[in-house]
Amino acid sequence: GYLKPSKLEFESIVLELSRKHSEIKLSDDEILAAAHAWEMRHGGISCRTAQQFVNHLLGNADNN
């Protein structure tokens, strides 16, 4: 089965994924705050949620 990442692992995944995209201009603190708000509304902490959050940021990159 799939293991649920810890909060720290989730944060690490989100930051690593977001750093791959220079168009995301938010600070690490802003990214993590938004990621935790996102995961609470979108199924909880998971690797998939982390990727979906970064995809969301990329879709709104003009606003970051």
Side-chain angles (χ1 to χ4, degrees):
Y2 295 101
L3 298 176
K4 178 181 171 183
S6 70
K7 180 181 175 182
L8 290 177
E9 290 169 328
F10 176 75
E11 291 175 349
S12 177
I13 293 165
V14 166
L15 291 175
E16 185 68 28
L17 290 172
S18 64
R19 287 181 183 135
K20 293 180 180 184
H21 303 282
S22 62
E23 59 270 37
I24 297 175
K25 305 292 187 199
L26 301 172
S27 70
D28 287 357
D29 288 338
E30 291 170 320
I31 290 170
L32 293 178
H36 285 297
W38 174 271
E39 61 91 356
M40 291 176 63
R41 295 186 312 267
H42 294 90
I45 291 175
S46 72
C47 296
R48 181 183 356 195
T49 304
Q51 181 63 65
Q52 290 170 339
F53 169 70
V54 172
N55 292 347
H56 168 75
L57 287 181
L58 289 170
N60 293 315
D62 293 337
N63 300 320
N64 294 332

